[in-house]
Each structure stands twice: as C-alpha cells, then as structure tokens.
Amino acid sequence: MISVIIPTHKRSDLLDLALESLRQQTFTDFEAVVINDGGRTLATSVSPWRRHFDVTLVELPAHSGVSKARNAGIACAEGDLLAFLDDDDVFLPWHLETAHKAVTSKAADFVYLGALVADQRLTALPADTTGMHTKAYAFDPRFLLVANYIHTGSVVTRNFYKDGARFNEALTHCEDWDAWLALTHGLGYRAAFVDELTAIYHQVPRSGGLVASAQLTVPSPFTLARERIQARWPSADEQVVAFRGWMTAFEDHRNQRIRGRLPIPHQMFDAVLRDLHQWFTTGREPDHRLIPGYFEAPL
C-alpha cells in the first residue's frame, strides 16, 4: 500500500483539488494522510472524501511548518511505500500506478517521475506544453549534491520511518532536498527515474507560496538552507565544488537584487536548473558571467 502524505495549512479549497486528483488514480491501494498544520479543524472538509478512499486526518495544535507536518503524517502511515502531495499540487491519474510499477520492475527503493511546472492552476496536462518548464531529470547522485532537481510530488519511496530518516524540522526551505540526500546518500536507497510527466507542480505568481515569499528577505531562506545542506553533505568532488561555487555566486546575486528591491523573474530557478543539469552532465564548466542574465529574463 502507498501512504500519500498531504500537509496543508488554511487552503481547504486547494486541498480539495489535491484530493480529487487522488480520487482519479488508476491505482487504488493507497491511503491519504492529511496533516492540518494548525488552524481550524478540517474534520468537516475531509469527511466526504472517505466515501472514495481511506483518509487519516492528523491535526496539529499549532502551525509548525511542512517538515514537522510531514513527519507527523509519516509516523502514522501504514503503507510500505510513501508518496508526497502538497495541498496546492495535483497528481495525474496514472501517477501512483506508474510509480508502483517502477518500484517493482526496477527493484528500487526511491522512485521519482516527471512533473510539469505550471504558472496557473491546472488539473490535467495541456495539449501543448511548449515553453513550459518541467522537472524531469535523470538521476545523478553527484548533481543532487549541487541542487534539488526532484519535485516532492514526484517521489514514491520505501517507507523510511523505521530507518530513522525524517524531514529536517530545522529547515524552512529545501527540506525535501535534504531528505532525498539522506535517503540516497545517507541510507543508500537505490534510486530510479521514470521519464514521464505524472504530476503538476504549481508555481503560480502572487499566490503567496514559499518560493515567492522567500524572495522578499535578505539573506534569502534559500541561501540559508543551501548553506546548511552543503555543510551537512560535504563533497571533495571537484566538479561538485565548482558548481556549488556557482550556486553560491548565484545566491549572492539574488540577495543583492532583493536588497535593492529589484524584481526576481518568475520561475527563474527552473531555467537555472535546466542549464546547470546540462552543463554538469556534459562536463561543461559553470560560467559565472552568465548569472546576471537569469535576472534579466521577462517577468
């Protein structure tokens, strides 16, 4: 069985869309674990969905952040596999089935699939995705030490509760990246990628999400998280060190922009990630001169 971990905080309308995407799954051996991260009770909101699939509701007494919420859900998950669905994202109908087949056929502990990055609310793949970003990168354990290229909602992994892994509750950002490193580098989980879009990752402008809010303060929470994760997962690999240096310079430039109250282009990091992955996997050196150009992209 797959336990789908869904943290939510004061977004019951979006939660309904996420749960509807679960109702449409072709794979039915799953449970939903909804964690209400503070706020008013969701008992009434969640109750109707129990007609369609098993739902466990965990209600935290106060808002504590996504890491603690996910950890609370994992603690009561009954599945031998875990999937993750944020309340503002959706699974496509074949997501769980495709992932479950991959876990079995590839003998993997940790599977992830592709995600479409959308700047408007979608419940299905558009007919034409030309010009849209995706998070659909082949697994490279060395590049994972540089940047997080795996969307949280793309992952289906062995239940790691008994292995002692947890989302780091000290991190407010990039906690998923730290968790993937803990599983693949720390615990040696065998990873596999399925090159198929099975989830929609919403990055909607002016939606008040973590990505947008993180670009309002200096230093950016992404800068702080990156520094902590790099310290926790050190590397002497020369290529990793060089690309980490590029990312540090990128963060410095972003912080200068934020300090000067200059705009940050929407979905900029998806363009950065696309280029970095290509450079890294083809052996190209990272060029620091290119950093300012990412901030000159159209908003």
Side-chain angles (χ1 to χ4, degrees), residues 95-203:
H95 174 71
L96 292 181
E97 181 177 6
T98 305
H100 187 265
K101 287 180 179 177
V103 169
T104 303
S105 64
K106 298 178 182 292
D109 306 301
F110 178 95
V111 166
Y112 67 100
L113 307 94
L116 181 72
V117 184
D119 61 4
Q120 58 182 310
R121 299 290 170 195
L122 299 174
T123 57
L125 287 178
D128 184 6
T129 59
T130 303
M132 299 181 71
H133 290 290
T134 61
K135 279 199 170 182
Y137 300 98
F139 183 69
D140 186 319
R142 295 170 60 240
F143 187 63
L144 192 59
L145 290 164
V146 174
N148 183 22
Y149 53 89
I150 301 173
H151 170 50
T152 311
S154 297
V155 169
V156 174
T157 180
R158 192 173 81 203
N159 190 331
F160 48 77
Y161 185 78
K162 291 183 179 179
D163 290 336
R166 299 290 186 273
F167 285 92
N168 188 340
E169 296 180 10
L171 292 173
T172 59
H173 295 70
C174 303
E175 75 293 328
D176 53 343
W177 181 21
D178 180 74
W180 311 153
L181 286 167
L183 296 180
T184 60
H185 285 259
L187 293 174
Y189 275 26
R190 299 162 298 174
F193 168 59
V194 179
D195 191 7
E196 183 175 350
L197 297 178
T198 65
I200 298 177
Y201 171 36
H202 287 113
Q203 285 293 332

Side-chain angles (χ1 to χ4, degrees), residues 247-258:
M247 283 302 308
T248 297
F250 169 83
E251 293 285 359
D252 289 344
H253 194 91
R254 174 160 57 182
N255 285 328
Q256 291 174 17
R257 299 270 304 189
I258 297 171

Side-chain angles (χ1 to χ4, degrees), residues 4 44 49 71 108 113 115 127 147 179 237-238 244 253 256:
V4 183
T44 302
W49 294 101
N71 288 339
L113 307 94
D237 184 310
E238 290 184 1
R244 283 183 165 185
H253 194 91
Q256 291 174 17

